[in-house]
Amino acid sequence: MNGPFVIAVDGPAASGKGTIAARLGQAYGLPVLDTGLLYRAVGVMAQRAGQDASDEDACAAAAAVLRAEDLADPALRTREAGELASRVAVHPRVRAALLSFQQTFASQEQGSVLDGRDIGTVICPDAPAKLFVTATPEVRAERRWKQLQEQGEAVGYDDVLADIRIRDARDGGRDAAPMRPAPDAVLLDTSRMTIGEAADAARRIVEAARARWDRS
Ligand code: CDP
C-alpha cells in the first residue's frame, strides 16, 4: 500500500528549491511547506525574547511553542533571519522539536511538497519523489542579491556571496541532519537554467517518480 505522494525538495540557499517547490505544488494541486520558515521563526522568536541563537535550551523552547500562523511574519524573509535560522538549525533539540510539525504536514493523504535541507534524508526518508537542487555559489549569490534588492535590503553582492559560503559550510558541516542529498535523490543543477527551465526539469523528475509510485 502506497503512502501519500510526498515530494521532497532539498538544496542550499538560493538554489531555486523554494520556487520549484511552489511550482510543483501548483502543478499537482498539493500543499507546500517551506521548512526553512520554521527555523527562521525559531531564530526570530528567540531573538525577540532576548535570547542568543547559540542557546540551545532557549531555542528549543521557542521551537516547542511555534504555531503555523507564526510563519506568515514578513520579518522571517530578511537576510538576518536566514542567518539566525542557520545558527539555530545546528541544535539537535530544535530539530527534534520541529520534526512532528513537518511529519504531520507530510502525512496529509492528498500528498504534499516540502522544501528544506533534510527532507529526503530525515523528515521523509520514504518520500516517493526526491530532488536535490543545486547551483554554483556565485549564481546563488546573484539570485539572492537580486531578491534582497527587490525586498529593499541594501547589501553588496560580495557580502551575499560570503553569507552563502558560510551557510553552506554550516549547513553541510553540522552533526545534526547535515544538508546532503539522499542516496535516492535526483540532482538538479540549475546554474545555467532559468527558473522556468528548472521548474520544467523538476516536473519531469517528479513525473518519472510518480509513474514508479503508481506502479508500486
Ligand atoms: O531561503 P534559504 O535557502 O536562504 O533559507 P531557508 O530555506 O529559509 O533556510 C534557512 C536556514 O534554515 C538554512 O540555512 C538551514 O540552516 C536551516 N534549515 C534547516 O536546517 N533544515 C531545513 N529543513 C530548512 C532550513
Side-chain angles (χ1 to χ4, degrees), residues 9-18 34-40 76-79 81-90 95 98 102 115-119 123 140 144 147 164 167-168 170-172 174 176-179:
V9 185
D10 289 305
S15 55
K17 66 185 186 312
D34 170 357
T35 64
L37 284 178
L38 302 172
Y39 297 89
R40 287 171 179 258
L76 306 188
R77 308 272 171 189
T78 64
R79 178 179 170 219
E83 165 67 15
L84 283 170
S86 95
R87 292 179 58 212
V88 305
V90 303
R95 306 198 72 85
L98 298 177
Q102 297 172 83
D115 82 81
R117 300 289 190 291
D118 63 341
I119 307 304
I123 307 295
R140 290 188 283 124
R144 182 50 50 93
Q147 202 179 25
I164 292 242
R167 276 233 260 149
D168 284 356
R170 195 186 286 137
D171 291 349
R174 68 186 176 214
M179 171 179 68

Side-chain angles (χ1 to χ4, degrees), residues 8 20 22 26 36 49 51 59 88 111 114 121 136 143 151 155 159 162 196 208:
I20 286 173
Q26 273 165 10
Q51 312 286 0
C59 295
V88 305
L114 288 86
T121 50
T136 64
R143 290 177 185 161
Q151 286 173 212
V155 54
D159 290 337

Side-chain angles (χ1 to χ4, degrees), residues 80-169:
E80 188 190 7
E83 165 67 15
L84 283 170
S86 95
R87 292 179 58 212
V88 305
V90 303
H91 301 311
R93 281 193 289 120
V94 168
R95 306 198 72 85
L98 298 177
L99 191 72
S100 77
F101 186 105
Q102 297 172 83
Q103 290 183 335
T104 301
F105 188 90
S107 68
Q108 298 176 77
E109 215 172 302
Q110 77 212 83
S112 54
V113 185
L114 288 86
D115 82 81
R117 300 289 190 291
D118 63 341
I119 307 304
T121 50
V122 175
I123 307 295
C124 303
D126 298 326
K130 294 183 186 175
L131 285 86
F132 193 87
V133 184
T134 60
T136 64
E138 291 76 13
V139 166
R140 290 188 283 124
E142 177 83 28
R143 290 177 185 161
R144 182 50 50 93
W145 178 71
K146 283 192 181 141
Q147 202 179 25
L148 290 169
Q149 286 214 314
E150 281 161 19
Q151 286 173 212
E153 271 201 60
V155 54
Y157 168 84
D158 288 343
D159 290 337
V160 177
L161 179 59
D163 277 3
I164 292 242
R165 289 191 194 284
I166 290 168
R167 276 233 260 149
D168 284 356

Side-chain angles (χ1 to χ4, degrees), residues 20-82:
I20 286 173
R23 299 258 182 118
L24 289 171
Q26 273 165 10
Y28 292 97
L30 298 177
V32 180
L33 179 63
D34 170 357
T35 64
L37 284 178
L38 302 172
Y39 297 89
R40 287 171 179 258
V42 170
V44 169
M45 282 160 71
Q47 188 190 49
R48 284 181 184 154
Q51 312 286 0
D52 194 87
S54 63
D55 182 340
E56 180 163 8
D57 285 342
C59 295
V65 297
L66 187 78
R67 296 157 312 157
E69 48 275 35
D70 296 326
L71 306 181
D73 186 343
L76 306 188
R77 308 272 171 189
T78 64
R79 178 179 170 219
E80 188 190 7

